Amino acid sequence: MAQPTPLALKPGTAWADAWKRALAAAPEAFREDRVLNLWAGAWQSDGHALPATSPVDGSPIAGPPRLDAGTATEAVRAALDQHRAWRQVPAPERRARVTAALDALADHRDLLALLLVWEIGKPWRLARADVDRAIEGVRWYVDHVDAMLEGRTPLDGPVSNIASWNYPMSVLVHAMLVQALAGNAVIAKTPTDGGLACLTLACALIHRENIPVTLVSGSGGELSEALVRSPEIGCVSFVGGRDTGARIATALTDLGKRHVLEQEGLNTWGIWEHTDWTALGAAIPKLFDYGKQRCTAYPRFVVQRTAFPDFLAVYLPAVSAVRTGHPLAVAHPDDPLPELDFGPLINAAKAAELTAHAAEAVDHGAVPLFRGTLDPARFLPGQDTSAYVAPLTLLSPPASSPLYHAEPFGPVDTIVLVDTEPELLAAMNASNGALVSTLSTDDPATFDRLAPQIRAFKTGHGRPRSRGDREELFGGFGASWRGAFVGGELLVRAVTLGPAGERLPGNFPDYQLMP
């Protein structure tokens, strides 16, 4: 039998190639050996640059130039000065500058995507989609923002953005540009785990259009006082885990500062009195996009026990077809980049943690229904694969396991079997609130009766739900969301001032808007 051709990096896609292109595209923001911070309207050679490695193969890449708390405080004060000038810029001029920035981002789309591949391990298809969603989403706001801003004014201080690493463009840059479009200066902290070079290039292109953007690196603990509690900050937008989010929420509630805090939740897919197995089988591989490192991933299936054999008959072939590997490796130079569902997790430490949680769950009674393997033919010869985890499915995780009640943020599915509707609802609500859920049931009346009892902001009937953008409302229930709900007009309202006494819709102590 002929041996498969060993894979090699597609020409022009090496980290060295991406870095050289970034230097050429934005020489003001990069040096040969590091990136710079952007504050007070200039690129600054400050901060202590730390080493970093790519999750793709463990090779060295650019690390964050971490600031200390004092410098971060200076950056926030400078952003307030920028904010006071920017909020006076007429809306048509703001639209024109944001549009020019979007055109520049589009011109550098493939480079931004390539940096994402190396920095956070996102497959090529999904990396380009992340860039495209940012650009297309903000263009929609450019076209519709005038009506949204009627009778409203910018905040009294800049918006501070602290976001997770998984969607640097379609979540973080998208939010920053909408906030700027609404008349605010914006501050962003580069995520600790990845996205530094991509965000630096994006902010360089935005900054060139005289849009007031600040981009700084540093540890959350070191910079929190400046980026969260500073009196100059007008609003805090946070995307991340519940532990950090809870601390930030407490600080913001004490300060009375407006905020948008999207936090993790265990999104669940329930199956009750269901027979359309073909549709379910078709949906399962898509749920593994980016290794389930998404806030709207579905890592938990709650299945009616009598339907379990039919569920397995479609689930196992579907999960077996999920493709993972090196996102830039090809057999021949002219081959297109591989079509993968996911590549590595964000780093080797996360892969080890997830593997340990799974092993512990099995030790305490969980049943491994499916164990995927990493196919050597999808990797470079001898490459470091320590950040890669193949799909794994566990039946009946013990209640003591983190996999039972928390979002794994990786390609590990858990299945819980139930016999009654109350059991179904209890298992779907295990994490006290989620962003999305799905219930597969044949009877529309059953869906209408059960769906309102599922503590998720959006519940799909036999189909997955997404985070949403543009005109679609977005939020969460329970501990998965704090502060203002956003989406379309509400995203603009969250970062602008309206009539006196206006109450923002969202998860505040005295106000709750049901979706």
Side-chain angles (χ1 to χ4, degrees):
M1 180 181 296
Q3 295 297 314
T5 303
L7 301 186
L9 279 179
K10 187 174 178 65
T13 66
W15 169 255
D17 298 319
W19 182 251
K20 185 181 299 183
R21 290 170 59 188
L23 282 167
E28 69 272 29
F30 295 89
R31 297 293 179 265
E32 289 291 338
D33 60 343
R34 62 174 293 171
V35 300
L36 307 182
N37 289 298
L38 173 61
W39 62 275
W43 292 96
Q44 312 277 358
S45 298
D46 50 16
H48 175 60
L50 295 182
T53 58
S54 170
V56 171
D57 61 5
S59 60
I61 59 173
R66 293 166 65 129
L67 295 180
D68 58 29
T71 308
T73 299
E74 288 185 54
V76 169
R77 290 171 179 164
L80 177 61
D81 293 337
Q82 292 178 301
H83 178 83
R84 288 169 173 164
W86 178 249
R87 71 197 308 271
Q88 303 301 321
V89 174
E93 176 63 20
R94 296 200 303 264
R95 288 199 310 273
R97 294 191 197 179
V98 170
T99 297
L102 294 172
D103 291 342
L105 292 172
D107 289 342
H108 292 83
R109 173 222 195 189
D110 283 356
L111 175 55
L112 291 163
L114 183 58
L115 291 169
L116 285 182
V117 175
W118 280 108
E119 294 190 288
I120 63 174
K122 189 165 283 194
W124 181 243
R125 169 179 60 88
L126 299 177
R128 290 200 296 178
D130 192 18
V131 178
D132 291 343
R133 282 187 60 195
I135 296 169
E136 294 163 7
V138 179
R139 288 198 195 280
W140 182 87
Y141 281 91
V142 170
D143 292 340
H144 294 84
V145 75
D146 281 353
M148 299 179 191
L149 289 174
E150 188 171 347
R152 309 190 68 80
T153 59
L155 298 175
D156 293 328
V159 182
S160 178
N161 294 271
I162 303 170
S164 59
W165 43 265
N166 53 341
Y167 285 91
M169 294 296 297
S170 62
V171 172
L172 182 51
V173 170
H174 177 279
M176 293 165 64
L177 284 173
V178 174
Q179 293 158 7
L181 189 64
N184 303 289
V186 294
I187 304 169
K189 185 181 93 65
T190 57
T192 302
D193 288 322
L196 170 68
C198 175
L199 283 169
T200 300
L201 175 57
C203 286
L205 300 173
I206 295 168
H207 175 63
R208 287 178 185 175
E209 303 305 328
N210 294 312
I211 297 170
V213 56
T214 295
L215 182 67
V216 294
S217 292
S219 72
E222 183 81 3
L223 303 192
S224 178
E225 188 72 20
L227 300 184
V228 174
R229 300 185 64 93
S230 288
E232 293 88 353
I233 298 294
C235 176
V236 175
S237 176
F238 171 85
V239 179
R242 287 193 181 186
D243 290 344
T244 302
R247 291 192 295 271
I248 291 176
T250 299
L252 294 173
T253 300
D254 291 345
L255 295 169
K257 196 185 296 290
R258 68 170 61 194
H259 52 280
V260 179
L261 272 65
E262 178 187 331
Q263 300 169 109
E264 64 183 302
L266 184 64
N267 306 315
T268 59
W269 193 305
I271 297 167
W272 188 260
E273 301 297 340
H274 174 74
T275 59
D276 189 0
W277 301 110
T278 301
L280 180 63
I284 287 168
K286 179 68 173 175
L287 302 181
F288 278 88
D289 268 3
Y290 197 32
K292 302 207 173 192
Q293 297 176 106
R294 298 177 291 123
C295 64
T296 53
Y298 286 82
R300 165 69 51 79
F301 290 92
V302 181
V303 183
Q304 188 175 13
R305 191 180 305 273
T306 55
F308 188 47
D310 292 326
F311 171 81
L312 277 186
V314 297
Y315 177 86
L316 291 177
V319 72
S320 299
V322 170
R323 303 156 299 178
T324 186
H326 192 302
L328 299 171
V330 295
H332 305 285
D334 294 334
D335 287 351
L337 289 169
E339 283 288 332
L340 301 173
D341 297 293
F342 65 96
L345 301 191
I346 185 57
N347 52 47
K350 174 61 181 179
E353 175 190 75
L354 191 58
T355 301
H357 285 330
E360 181 183 21
V362 171
D363 287 344
H364 288 81
V367 178
L369 288 179
F370 178 83
R371 288 186 185 272
T373 58
L374 299 177
D375 182 356
R378 293 186 181 273
F379 296 91
L380 302 181
Q383 82 160 81
D384 181 347
T385 59
S386 58
Y388 292 78
V389 174
L392 173 66
T393 307
L394 302 179
L395 173 66
S396 301
S400 60
S401 170
L403 296 178
Y404 185 84
H405 54 78
E407 181 181 19
F409 231 60
V412 175
D413 278 348
T414 55
I415 300 173
V416 174
L417 302 183
V418 295
D419 297 295
T420 66
E421 288 184 359
E423 285 182 293
L424 173 82
L425 293 170
M428 292 189 72
N429 292 330
S431 72
N432 182 30
L435 304 179
V436 296
S437 67
T438 292
L439 179 61
S440 290
T441 184
D442 292 346
D443 181 22
T446 299
F447 177 83
D448 291 341
R449 177 169 50 83
L450 295 178
Q453 302 177 68
I454 300 170
R455 289 183 59 78
F457 193 74
K458 299 178 182 180
T459 299
H461 188 180
R463 62 185 181 89
R465 296 305 310 268
S466 67
R467 184 181 190 275
D469 53 17
R470 305 184 184 184
E471 67 271 5
E472 186 177 7
L473 184 66
F474 190 61
F477 270 122
S480 70
W481 193 277
R482 306 282 184 179
F485 292 147
V486 296
E489 182 179 1
L490 290 186
L491 177 55
V492 173
R493 286 176 63 185
V495 295
T496 54
L497 301 174
E502 177 188 53
R503 303 171 74 193
L504 288 174
N507 285 330
F508 294 102
D510 61 344
Y511 189 82
Q512 175 89 3
L513 174 69
M514 300 296 287

